[in-house]
Amino acid sequence: MRTLIRNAIAVLPSETRAANVLIEGSKILGIDPPAGAACDETIDATGLHLIPGVVDDHVHFRDPGLTHKEDLHSGSIACAAGGVTTFLEMPNTIPPTTTQEILNAKLDIAASKSVVNYGFYIAASTENLDELRKATRTPGIKIFIGSSTGNLLVDDQDSLEAIFAETTLPITAHCEDESTVRKNQARIAAAGYTGHSDHSRIRNHEAAMIATARAVDLARRHNHRFHVVHVSTAGEIDLFADHGGLLTAEACPHHLFFNVDDYERLGSKVQMNPAIKTKADNDALFAALLDGRIQVVATDHAPHTLEEKNQPYPKSPSGLPAVENSLPLMLDQVHRGNCSLEQVVSWMSDAPARVWDMIGKGRIQEGYDADLVLVDLNRTSTIRDENQRTKCGWSPWHGTTLTGWPVRTIVMGRTVFADGRFDVDHRGAEAVFDHSLGGYWAT
Ligand code: DOR
Ligand code: ZN
C-alpha cells in the first residue's frame, strides 16, 4: 500500500518547506517523489503542516491492574487523538514491571490493544538487579528514588550505587527526596491539613533539588546515561546542564503551565508528583527548553477517576491526564510566538526518540517509520471534559481555548485518527531500541 501526502508544509530534519511525502507500507519511502509515482491513496494536505508523530516517553496507562482509570486501548486512543504515535509507559502498574516476564506480558497486552506504537520501562526494586542487567525489549530502567503512586521505592544508597554501577540500560528516576517529603508531611499533618495546596509545601523545592542532585551525582560518578524526568524547579536545571549527552531532561506541560496559584481554581486536579511550583519555575523551565538545557517535553499522563480525585487532601491521588492535549498546548505556544514549530517537533518527537535510542522514529526522513501527524496551526478549539478520550474523562485544562490542533494521525503508514474518527482495528507496533547507538548527542 502506497500513500502520497501532497502539498503539506513538512517539518523535515533540516528545513520546513512545502513537500510531498510518499509512504510505502509502514515506512517513509521518499520526500518529493517524481511526479506520477504510483500510489494507492492521496491525502491532500493543503493548508496543513506535516510533523513527525509525537513520542511521549512518559505515560502511566494502568494496564494491567488499575484499568478502571485507563487501559492500553483507551490510553492509546487518547494518544491518537493528540498526535502521539508512540508512547513509553512507566512500570508502576500492578504487578509492577520488575521482571522480563512481566514486561513481555505488557508487550503482549499492548499488541492486542494499542492503536499506536508502544514500549515499556522496567522498574528497579531493591531485589531485581539481575533482571535489570539482562533486560531486553525496553527503553530503560525507571527508579522511584522517591515514592509516588504505587509502592516502588529504592531509596538506600547501596542499592542505588549497585544499579548505576552494574546495569547498562539508560536510567530515569522519579526524584523527590523521601526523607524531606516525610519530614514536611509530618509537620503539616501535625498542624492540620488546609487543602490540596499543602501538596506543594510537602513536595517542595528542597525535595526535588536534593533527589535530583543525588541522582545526577550517581550518573556522573558511574558514567551512566540518565534522563531527569518531570523537572519542576528552576534550581534543578543547573544540576544537569552541559554534560555531553550523559544527562538529558524532561519538562511536562503541567510544570510549564500550572503553578501554586492554580490550586484555588483546580484543587486536586493539579495535584501531581512532583508537585507544581511557582510562576518563576514555569518561566525557568520554558527558558531551559528554549536554550536546550531541557530537551524533551512529555506528559507524565497519570489518570485517576474524578471520584478518586475529589477526595479531600491527602486522600486524593496525585496525577493528571494529558496525552490528548500536550501537542495542542505546545502548538498554542507557537501560535503565541513563544517558540517555533521546529522546536516543538524537536522537544516532542526527535529528542525523545534520540534519548531512548529508538530506531526509525521522530523524524520525517526516507526510511523512517511513517508515524506522521497533520496539524492545523489555525484551528481554534476549547478543551472540554466531555470530549476527552482518556478513560478518566476529564482534563485539568477543561475550558482552555487553544490554537493549533492535530487533524490526522498516521501510525506505521495507517491513518488511525482523522477529523474526530478513529480506526480502532489498527494496531501499533512494538518500538525498537538500539542501546548501542551511543546516546542522545551521537545520532
Ligand atoms: O503524580 C504522579 N502520578 N506522579 C507520579 O510519579 C506517578 C503518577 C501516577 O502513576 O499516578
Ligand atoms: Zn510519571
Side-chain angles (χ1 to χ4, degrees), residues 58-60 90 92 142 144 148 174 229-230 250 252 272-274 299-302:
H58 189 169
V59 306
H60 300 261
M90 289 295 170
N92 60 335
K142 172 73 181 281
F144 282 86
S148 187
H174 185 105
V229 281
H230 44 46
E250 159 198 291
C252 303
M272 270 303 284
N273 302 335
T299 60
D300 199 5
H301 176 94

Side-chain angles (χ1 to χ4, degrees), residues 230-413:
H230 44 46
V231 179
S232 65
T233 68
E236 284 166 282
I237 298 163
D238 296 330
L239 297 173
F240 49 75
D242 196 29
H243 291 284
L246 190 70
L247 306 170
T248 49
E250 159 198 291
C252 303
H254 51 277
H255 291 130
L256 292 167
F257 304 127
F258 290 130
N259 59 59
V260 288
D261 298 337
D262 291 302
Y263 281 118
E264 200 174 325
R265 187 170 58 93
L266 293 166
S268 67
K269 286 185 176 166
V270 290
Q271 180 191 327
M272 270 303 284
N273 302 335
I276 53 170
K277 305 291 190 314
T278 66
K279 174 79 171 69
D281 294 301
N282 298 151
D283 295 345
L285 295 176
F286 207 94
L289 280 168
L290 289 174
D291 68 20
R293 286 172 296 160
I294 296 178
Q295 298 80 20
V296 172
V297 171
T299 60
D300 199 5
H301 176 94
H304 300 283
T305 66
L306 271 184
E307 197 184 349
E308 292 162 342
K309 288 293 264 185
N310 283 340
Q311 298 171 93
Y313 194 77
K315 278 201 169 146
S316 47
S318 297
L320 54 82
V323 282
E324 59 204 283
N325 297 309
S326 57
L327 179 60
L329 282 161
M330 298 310 294
L331 294 179
D332 188 66
Q333 293 298 310
V334 176
H335 173 71
R336 289 164 188 248
N338 294 336
C339 59
S340 68
L341 179 61
E342 291 80 3
Q343 283 172 313
V344 170
V345 166
S346 173
W347 302 332
M348 303 188 80
S349 302
D350 192 21
R354 305 288 77 77
V355 165
W356 298 108
D357 304 318
M358 300 178 75
I359 304 297
K361 300 285 187 210
R363 289 179 186 170
I364 302 179
Q365 190 169 307
E366 192 183 312
Y368 271 55
D369 291 339
D371 295 333
L372 300 163
V373 179
L374 282 169
V375 298
D376 183 347
L377 294 182
N378 296 314
R379 177 182 288 200
T380 298
S381 181
T382 302
I383 297 172
R384 299 236 150 260
D385 284 349
E386 55 274 26
N387 298 335
Q388 301 306 297
R389 282 81 169 196
T390 169
K391 204 186 265 192
C392 71
W394 61 276
S395 166
W397 285 282
H398 172 76
T400 302
T401 300
L402 303 172
T403 299
W405 285 84
V407 295
R408 183 190 279 260
T409 303
I410 297 169
V411 176
M412 301 298 270

Side-chain angles (χ1 to χ4, degrees), residues 4-264:
L4 182 66
I5 302 173
R6 294 184 60 237
N7 301 326
I9 309 287
V11 180
L12 305 173
S14 54
E15 59 181 333
T16 299
R17 62 170 173 82
N20 297 330
V21 174
L22 184 60
I23 300 168
E24 184 175 58
S26 62
K27 302 276 185 205
I28 296 169
L29 186 62
I31 317 293
D32 288 332
C39 66
D40 308 290
E41 176 194 31
T42 302
I43 297 170
D44 181 10
T46 305
L48 302 174
H49 283 72
L50 184 68
I51 64 172
V54 170
V55 175
D56 190 335
D57 67 359
H58 189 169
V59 306
H60 300 261
F61 280 168
R62 315 301 194 199
D63 196 349
L66 292 166
T67 51
H68 68 287
K69 299 175 197 270
E70 194 78 280
D71 63 48
L72 286 166
H73 188 67
S74 61
S76 72
I77 286 277
C79 282
V84 177
T85 52
T86 302
F87 66 80
L88 303 182
E89 208 251 5
M90 289 295 170
N92 60 335
T93 33
I94 301 174
T97 320
T98 49
T99 67
Q100 187 71 47
E101 196 183 342
I102 297 170
L103 190 134
N104 290 347
K106 277 175 97 165
L107 287 163
D108 286 346
I109 302 172
S112 71
K113 288 192 183 178
S114 180
V115 302
V116 302
N117 309 313
Y118 48 84
F120 297 95
Y121 295 93
I122 188 161
S125 75
T126 47
E127 281 137 32
N128 72 341
L129 193 55
D130 226 38
E131 292 280 347
L132 301 181
R133 274 203 215 102
K134 295 184 308 209
T136 59
R137 305 172 77 190
T138 183
I141 297 167
K142 172 73 181 281
I143 314 176
F144 282 86
I145 294 182
S147 57
S148 187
T149 303
N151 49 16
L152 286 165
L153 176 66
V154 183
D155 192 27
D156 75 280
Q157 196 64 24
D158 288 350
S159 301
L160 289 170
E161 297 283 352
I163 294 166
F164 276 84
E166 293 177 39
T167 65
T168 55
L169 287 169
I171 295 177
T172 185
H174 185 105
C175 295
E176 286 183 293
D177 183 58
E178 192 66 13
S179 59
T180 305
V181 169
R182 286 191 189 161
K183 185 185 70 193
N184 292 340
Q185 190 162 28
R187 192 186 67 245
I188 286 172
Y193 291 110
T194 60
H196 295 101
S197 62
D198 286 339
H199 198 63
S200 290
R201 289 185 273 275
I202 293 171
R203 293 177 176 267
N204 62 2
H205 287 77
E206 191 192 359
M209 281 292 287
I210 292 173
T212 298
R214 187 177 178 202
V216 164
D217 171 62
L218 281 157
R220 285 219 194 102
R221 281 191 290 105
H222 293 285
N223 196 30
H224 199 125
R225 274 178 61 199
F226 183 68
H227 186 59
V228 189
V229 281
H230 44 46
V231 179
S232 65
T233 68
E236 284 166 282
I237 298 163
D238 296 330
L239 297 173
F240 49 75
D242 196 29
H243 291 284
L246 190 70
L247 306 170
T248 49
E250 159 198 291
C252 303
H254 51 277
H255 291 130
L256 292 167
F257 304 127
F258 290 130
N259 59 59
V260 288
D261 298 337
D262 291 302
Y263 281 118
E264 200 174 325

